[in-house]
Amino acid sequence: MNRAWHGVRMRRLEAGANPDAPPRALTLPAAWEPAAAAALAELAPGTGPAHLVNVAEAWIAPIAERAKRAGLELPLADRLHLLLLQRRGAPDISVWHGTPAETPGFVLNLPAFLHGDFDVDGFVEAVETAVISLTLAAPAATRLAVGMADLAGLLAALGLDYDSDAARDVAGGLAAILRLRADAASSMLARLFGEISPVETLLPAPPSETSVPGLAAAARKNIPAGTGLRHVATTAIAPPGPADALLGVETGGFSPVFSPLDTDGRLSRASRAWLAARGLTVEAALAAALAREPVFPVASPAAHAAMHDALAPWIHAMPARPAIVGASPIAAPPRESLPARRVGYTQKATVGGHRLYLRTGEYADGRLGEIFVALHKEGAAFRGLMDNFSIAVSMGLQHGVPLEDFVGAFTFTRFGPAGTVEGDPAVMQATSLLDYVFRNLAANYLGRHDIPAAEIEDGDTVGNGHRDRAPLLPFDLPTEESPRVRRRGFRVVAK
């Protein structure tokens, strides 16, 4: 075992890569949340028991050995183990499985570098370590995807509003360090593995100053003139994956929205950091929430686009620029904003053993205007999808989409987790988390108690419920074997 892990208290959990996967016996640090265990189940090759340190050593050891053979006198194994232990960085799933992708990736968890002040030197070293490690793991790769995640969590901990010049300066400084240090490492590796002529790019000047001590000075360090690079591209902001969840990333990339609650229904790390940076106690935040006063910042699409613009000059591969709603040839219904102080309810429930919290916001006349769904066991990617789904539904409601349309579209959606509902007397069973949410909303806002009961079925069957024995068309006579029942006997055979 690498010395970085000596004295670290570990615990054993059982978790699957997803709710439908069989659980595995997993060993990881006792302080890490259950979502990290699910991520380890996906990252660790095979289906049997997995120990985080052993699984990590399986991909770190070959990299360290190649570095030694190449004459790189760096404690690369110690660096990689320490990055993982501190939850600062990890490669993508392809490296964990020993089959690096054509463009291998490495994610750096920004809030993990913050201990009092932001560890600028540690961030610089982590970028260098990531580039060297990916190059040794995939020597033939001409493109790398070293990126950073949870920018919103870092800005919250620094007490910076996402939609501010100060926040964009910090983001630009981090992106400058990421690009320049990654290219510097690529330049050093060119002497070992051969030089590749990259596309000429004119980079802007890094920020002259930021609110993070030492960040601007580190960002102004450039690559030595006249030195070629090993890679055509070195940096990218990639969608969140299991490595992000293992590191405890709460928001992917530069997403502006952090969840107020974590998977256990408590305040998330970013929420607690935001309150601490603003000098607010939990009691004061609760009092403000009860008074219907905004507690946490909400960034607009324009702020998200402005942050994209601050990062894009430095990053080789970026997501598409967020669209800003503007003039359209087709007139869209005006958005009806919710009052600053609004009522609603918070419903805690468990669907098939998976806990969730449903929070609603209402207009003054009692109409539903927004929803928020916080999940308990799911990983960062699933939580991010549900957060953004809630925002989309809320925007639809505020633009006049009837709740009845959402109920009709999302009840009876069928995917895991599903099963018995506990904690909500209005809904007894649900075929999915979305099915539960809209059954609850239909009962509480539409008075709908006539929706047929959910029938839980095996995922690999067409259906075993009584409706599946009913005719497909009104003119079909009920028979012992209806078309749906007969259809279960068909098999598609590919030659």
Side-chain angles (χ1 to χ4, degrees), residues 167-339:
R168 287 186 283 272
D169 285 341
V170 169
L174 291 168
I177 292 176
L178 182 68
R179 172 64 178 274
L180 297 176
R181 300 313 302 166
D183 283 358
S186 178
S187 174
M188 180 270 292
L189 292 167
R191 296 191 296 270
L192 297 177
F193 297 98
E195 181 178 324
I196 295 175
S197 299
V199 178
E200 292 284 341
T201 303
L202 181 62
L203 295 175
S208 58
E209 60 179 335
T210 74
S211 59
V212 175
L215 184 63
R220 288 194 295 269
K221 294 181 180 179
N222 294 300
I223 307 171
T227 304
L229 302 181
R230 172 69 186 91
H231 305 93
V232 175
T234 55
T235 56
I237 301 294
D244 298 68
L246 184 71
L247 299 176
V249 170
E250 292 186 342
T251 59
F254 63 102
S255 172
V257 180
F258 62 83
S259 174
L261 301 178
D262 63 14
T263 57
D264 294 323
R266 302 183 178 91
L267 286 177
S268 65
R269 183 197 65 240
S271 297
R272 288 184 277 107
W274 172 261
L275 296 178
R278 292 302 176 100
L280 293 174
T281 64
V282 175
E283 291 78 8
L286 176 60
L290 293 175
R292 307 299 176 189
E293 297 175 358
V295 178
F296 301 109
V298 178
S300 66
H304 195 193
M307 188 63 75
H308 180 282
D309 295 343
L311 297 173
W314 300 102
I315 308 299
H316 286 105
M318 289 277 291
R321 187 177 189 270
I324 302 177
V325 178
S328 173
I330 302 176
R335 181 179 180 181
E336 184 181 1
S337 299
L338 285 159

Side-chain angles (χ1 to χ4, degrees), residues 1-6 8 10 29 32 51-64 75-91 96 106 125 129 133 246-247:
M1 178 182 291
N2 186 274
R3 59 185 178 183
W5 299 93
H6 290 173
V8 177
M10 311 292 280
W32 293 17
H51 192 294
L52 174 62
V53 179
N54 296 336
V55 175
E57 181 65 18
W59 60 263
I60 291 175
I63 291 174
L76 204 56
D78 292 343
R79 284 190 184 185
L80 289 168
H81 277 289
L82 194 59
L83 279 176
L84 187 58
L85 173 61
Q86 296 175 334
R87 309 187 82 178
R88 289 185 168 188
W96 287 76
F106 202 106
E125 181 181 281
T129 301
S133 300
L246 184 71
L247 299 176

Side-chain angles (χ1 to χ4, degrees), residues 369-410:
E370 69 176 1
I371 67 169
F372 178 79
V373 181
L375 302 179
H376 173 59
K377 289 186 177 179
E378 280 58 43
F382 197 3
R383 294 202 313 271
L385 286 174
M386 187 62 79
D387 288 347
N388 285 278
F389 174 82
S390 301
I391 293 172
V393 171
S394 300
M395 292 182 66
L397 293 169
Q398 293 164 28
H399 281 279
V401 179
L403 176 59
E404 291 88 342
D405 291 355
F406 287 115
V407 171
F410 295 111

Side-chain angles (χ1 to χ4, degrees), residues 355-368:
R355 188 186 311 161
L356 63 80
Y357 293 81
L358 170 62
R359 168 67 183 162
T360 68
E362 302 173 3
Y363 291 102
D365 60 3
R367 288 178 296 123
L368 179 66

